[in-house]
Amino acid sequence: MTGPTDDWAALLRAGMAGDARAYRAFLAAVSPVVRGIVRARGRALGEAQCEDVVQEVLLAVHAKRHTWRQDAPVRPWVYAIARHKVVDAFRTRGSAIDLPVEDFAEVLPADPGEDLTERRDMEKLIGMLDDRAAGIVRMIGLDGQSAAEAGARLGMTEGAVRVALHRALKALAALRERHVE
Amino acid sequence: MKTDDLIRILAEDSAADPPPARRLWLLVPAVAVSLAAVLLTLGPRPDLAGALTSFLPAMRHVLSLALFALALAAALRLTRPEGRAALWPLALVAVAALVLALWAWMTTPPEARGMALMGKSSSICLFAIPVLSALPTAALFAALRAGATTAPRLAGALIGLAGGGSGAAVYALHCTEVSPLFYVTWYGLAILIVTAVSTLLGPRILRW
């Protein structure tokens, strides 16, 4: 494997070693590819709902990143997660989908587009967290604060904010499994 | 929420969980409880040391532990979303067990076959092995839940085979039946019961 796969592997490896910037770059590189896959397969849903599915896939990639073996290629791993989550998302939204993973490599990456980037599903899930956890997620996500800044506002240490964030994201992944409709 | 915002949140969370294989220590207390249950309630067979070194009784342990190890290895491969598990090593164990049973059938005098097959303890065996397998199977589910299998039914079946194999190996410390006609049949059936239940539970427990 060459090209983007190697880049993804390097970024994810650095990310898992604690390099938040590399990890962010990894997620940013993965999301247009995932978006392309979701849109190519899910025209019936419309582009807006597709973005909800893209976010579900990203949350799953994040929650399950410890299942990537660092010497294995990243792309098949991402594709397998995307396929699993997309099939799941389409099933819970009431439509079956046939999704041969072999086709994923041919799908073109896609940008989010202007007017459909604000998605509701993740907001709904965040609303189901307890207030403190939801507050931390919103401060970092919507207000663009770092864990340290959020901690200063909440009277928590940066480490405590990170632990709370980690728990909140695990809870989000579990909630999505039960509540997405 | 915009996807970019979500990415920013995810990137702030730098604590990755340990991989599922690192949670297999859960097996240790589970198997220890099963061992204690057998040794304290049913008791070890009186000639245990001899039974572990002679071929036919020892094969119960060898086959059960081989099943445990190979099924566990395959289940671990399935914890990766892109993972595929080769099932032929498991088939080899099944073939070895059937060959052993066939050999016993041919070397047992016809009038003794029925008794060798039915033994004296088939019902306790059918009851005890699933009970002794319950905790190790639960421990395996708890450990592999941290994975991301895309084949939850097969993963559940493999967990059942591994858990059932461990339960059978533990039960064999007590069991005095030595004919492969008995143990291939009844151990096999007991392990299949555990496997059937685990296969049904797989998609529920291993969801993600």
Side-chain angles (χ1 to χ4, degrees):
Chain A
M1 295 258 176
T2 56
T5 302
D6 294 334
D7 298 346
W8 286 13
L11 289 173
L12 181 52
R13 207 174 289 123
M16 292 191 54
D19 182 343
R21 187 177 300 189
Y23 186 51
R24 194 165 157 185
F26 166 75
L27 292 171
V30 164
S31 53
V33 174
V34 170
R35 186 176 293 113
I37 290 169
V38 175
R39 288 205 190 152
R41 301 296 142 183
R43 289 207 187 80
L45 284 186
E47 289 195 343
Q49 272 210 57
C50 278
E51 198 64 16
D52 281 328
V53 180
V54 170
Q55 295 188 1
E56 283 171 27
V57 173
L58 290 176
L59 186 60
V61 163
H62 177 74
K64 294 298 183 182
R65 64 199 190 279
H66 59 275
T67 66
W68 176 57
R69 234 185 38 203
Q70 304 220 349
D71 56 347
V74 188
R75 210 166 263 260
W77 176 80
V78 169
Y79 287 170
I81 292 177
R83 180 182 187 280
H84 181 75
K85 280 287 148 188
V86 169
V87 169
D88 204 39
F90 280 69
R91 185 164 44 219
T92 52
R93 287 172 175 81
S95 53
I97 181 172
D98 179 38
L99 208 61
V101 77
E102 295 76 30
D103 296 353
F104 282 10
E106 295 155 23
V107 172
L108 294 175
D111 289 325
E114 280 302 315
D115 49 337
L116 44 85
T117 51
E118 288 284 356
R119 294 309 308 145
R120 307 273 320 143
D121 280 7
M122 202 58 74
E123 286 284 343
K124 261 189 268 175
L125 290 179
I126 292 169
M128 290 180 208
L129 295 172
D130 69 77
D131 289 346
R132 202 184 65 161
I136 289 173
V137 170
R138 290 205 179 97
M139 272 182 222
I140 293 172
L142 302 180
D143 310 343
Q145 301 194 345
S146 69
E149 289 164 342
R153 243 169 78 180
L154 292 167
M156 298 165 69
T157 65
E158 180 182 345
V161 171
R162 287 189 187 280
V163 170
L165 178 68
H166 183 64
R167 294 213 181 111
L169 293 178
K170 287 190 88 164
L172 274 184
L175 280 170
R176 197 224 63 87
E177 192 182 291
R178 271 174 280 150
H179 286 282
V180 85
E181 58 222 337
Chain B
M1 168 164 298
K2 294 181 182 176
T3 301
D4 283 348
D5 298 333
L6 177 67
I7 289 176
R8 187 164 54 241
I9 297 170
L10 299 182
E12 279 294 312
D13 174 24
S14 53
D17 294 334
R22 292 254 294 277
R23 291 163 44 119
L24 285 179
W25 62 266
L26 288 166
L27 268 175
V28 175
V31 172
V33 169
S34 288
L35 269 175
V38 154
L39 298 180
L40 297 178
T41 63
L42 298 172
R45 55 182 284 165
D47 58 339
L48 185 57
L52 287 175
T53 49
S54 55
F55 178 70
L56 283 181
M59 277 310 282
R60 298 171 309 173
H61 294 280
V62 171
L63 289 172
S64 304
L65 291 175
L67 183 66
F68 165 77
L70 295 173
L72 177 58
L76 276 176
R77 275 196 294 277
L78 284 186
T79 59
R80 292 159 52 208
E82 82 281 25
R84 295 279 173 275
L87 299 180
W88 61 263
L90 291 167
L92 281 187
V93 177
V95 168
L98 291 176
V99 166
L100 199 59
L102 190 66
W103 170 81
W105 178 264
M106 293 191 304
T107 53
T108 307
E111 63 279 10
R113 281 174 189 158
M115 196 137 61
L117 176 68
M118 297 312 292
K120 295 194 191 73
S121 57
S122 58
S123 48
I124 175 83
C125 167
L126 269 189
F127 174 75
I129 290 181
V131 168
L132 295 169
S133 304
L135 268 182
T137 305
L140 287 174
F141 268 119
L144 302 194
R145 241 184 84 77
T149 183
T150 48
R153 201 174 299 273
L154 178 59
L158 290 167
I159 287 172
L161 286 171
S166 72
V170 168
Y171 177 72
L173 295 172
H174 158 75
C175 176
T176 51
E177 312 270 3
V178 291
S179 171
L181 286 177
F182 178 89
Y183 62 73
V184 171
T185 306
W186 299 106
Y187 283 39
L189 196 56
I191 291 169
L192 285 181
I193 291 171
V194 178
T195 305
V197 174
S198 295
T199 308
L200 291 175
L201 290 176
R204 286 167 182 271
I205 300 181
L206 302 175
R207 277 204 67 162
W208 54 283

